[in-house]
Amino acid sequence: MSAETFQLPLAAAEIYESEFVPAIFAEWAPLLVGMAGVGPGQAVLDVACGTGIVARVAADHIGTEGVVGVDLNEAMLTVARRVRPELEWRRADALALPFHAESFDTVLCQMALMFFPDRPRAVAEMARVTRAGGRVGLVVPAAIEDQPAYRLLVDIVREHAGQDGTSLLDTYWSCGDLAGLRRLVEGAGLRPDGLRTHIGTARFGSPDELVTTEVEGTPLAERISAETYRRIRRDAREALRPFIADDGTLHAPLHGHVLIATKAS
Ligand SMILES: C[S@@+](CC[C@H](N)C(=O)[O-])C[C@H]1O[C@@H](n2cnc3c(N)ncnc32)[C@H](O)[C@@H]1O
């Protein structure tokens, strides 16, 4: 398996749920669920569900029946089960979904496509388990050139931690090219019919808190020394100053794409 598939121990999965999800990911789930037209009676799959924010929002719309979340990482699923035990959570690889063809009305995948080692195969798997006429919905971050705040952080990490340190951060932005994303979806026999580029906000108490979350909530923590970490913090405090709101908190813009595609009936 690639080193950049976002595998985490349980403590990091808890940080992911308590910090990453409210600070970054929760905002996208209602957009995705809404644009994909998730409605009552549907069977919905959340691929690479993490701690389950998309599945939870879908269940809030349509009830718990028929909502399933899958992820490769057992620690993420442990947290997902703790937060919402009544939903179905299964360990599975996005590249080999353990479901029969056409099992779901809607298949959603938020902020994870970029970690899959074989993206065409993952999207083909999503298309396979979607019923004819059903929808696949994806959320991915836009390219790093379109990220006014994160671009600065990535530059700082690259300067202090080198390419090994930034390869995880680079992975985040690697699906941001819209033409490439469309081709990927069309290659799986899906018809793109909804696109929105949204400017979300990554909210943190301070630049330090953003750095802590990005480093300690990701595999980056195991790859850098204490001194490197200190330098990254120092420079991020300075560089991210323009994104500090009047109340002292950091509001870093996060540009992302929501793409909805339909399977031919
Ligand atoms: C940034 S998290 C996003 C989680 C969730 N969708 C959300 O919006 O909070 C990326 C997730 O992708 C999962 N993942 C990475 N590669 C995977 C694969 N091949 N199959 C299934 N899940 C995978 C990781 O375990 C992690 O939970």
Side-chain angles (χ1 to χ4, degrees):
M1 190 196 307
S2 148
E4 310 300 3
T5 53
F6 213 97
Q7 297 308 291
L8 300 172
L10 185 57
E14 290 288 4
I15 291 178
Y16 184 89
E17 172 61 20
S18 62
E19 296 189 21
F20 262 71
V21 172
I24 303 173
F25 297 108
E27 174 179 354
W28 297 85
L31 262 180
L32 175 60
V33 166
M35 278 182 66
V38 169
Q42 289 190 4
V44 177
L45 177 64
D46 179 6
V47 176
C49 62
T51 55
I53 184 65
V54 170
R56 294 192 315 248
V57 169
D60 291 343
H61 268 58
I62 64 172
T64 55
E65 189 68 25
V67 179
V68 182
V70 296
D71 199 278
L72 196 56
N73 189 280
E74 198 53 54
M76 288 293 207
L77 295 168
T78 300
V79 177
R81 286 187 193 102
R82 177 179 64 65
V83 176
R84 203 67 178 264
E86 65 278 22
L87 296 187
E88 186 181 338
W89 306 106
R90 284 174 69 166
R91 183 167 188 277
D93 190 336
L95 305 187
L97 293 171
F99 304 104
H100 294 300
E102 313 221 335
S103 297
F104 296 94
D105 301 287
T106 309
V107 175
L108 305 174
C109 181
Q110 171 170 295
M111 300 287 188
L113 185 65
M114 52 283 186
F115 300 115
F116 302 155
D118 184 342
R119 293 172 199 156
R121 183 164 155 197
V123 178
E125 273 294 88
M126 292 183 218
R128 181 183 66 77
V129 303
T130 303
R131 71 161 169 80
R135 284 171 161 174
V136 172
L138 304 170
V139 176
V140 294
I144 190 65
E145 307 81 62
D146 299 325
Q147 306 287 355
Y150 277 93
R151 190 171 59 208
L152 302 174
L153 182 63
V154 168
D155 286 347
I156 291 167
V157 172
R158 181 172 293 110
E159 186 187 335
H160 295 298
Q163 195 52 42
D164 186 44
T166 52
S167 61
L168 177 82
L169 297 180
D170 287 345
T171 305
Y172 285 152
W173 323 107
S174 60
C175 289
D177 170 50
L178 271 178
L181 197 59
R182 275 179 199 280
R183 272 197 304 277
L184 195 60
V185 160
E186 285 164 352
L190 300 166
R191 189 187 69 244
D193 53 10
L195 172 69
R196 178 162 168 195
T197 296
H198 172 72
I199 306 176
T201 307
R203 296 176 179 77
F204 292 92
S206 64
D208 267 24
E209 221 178 81
L210 168 64
V211 174
T212 301
T213 307
E214 289 298 335
V215 173
E216 294 178 25
T218 74
L220 188 58
E222 296 152 17
R223 302 184 188 177
I224 57 172
S225 69
E227 177 55 19
T228 300
Y229 194 8
R230 194 191 63 74
R231 289 192 189 135
I232 291 171
R233 273 181 189 289
R234 181 198 61 198
D235 289 2
R237 255 176 236 141
E238 191 53 39
L240 296 173
R241 209 186 280 270
F243 303 100
I244 295 178
D246 289 345
D247 65 358
T249 61
L250 180 73
H251 289 198
L254 174 62
H255 294 230
H257 307 305
V258 185
L259 181 72
I260 308 299
T262 300
K263 181 167 168 174
S265 30

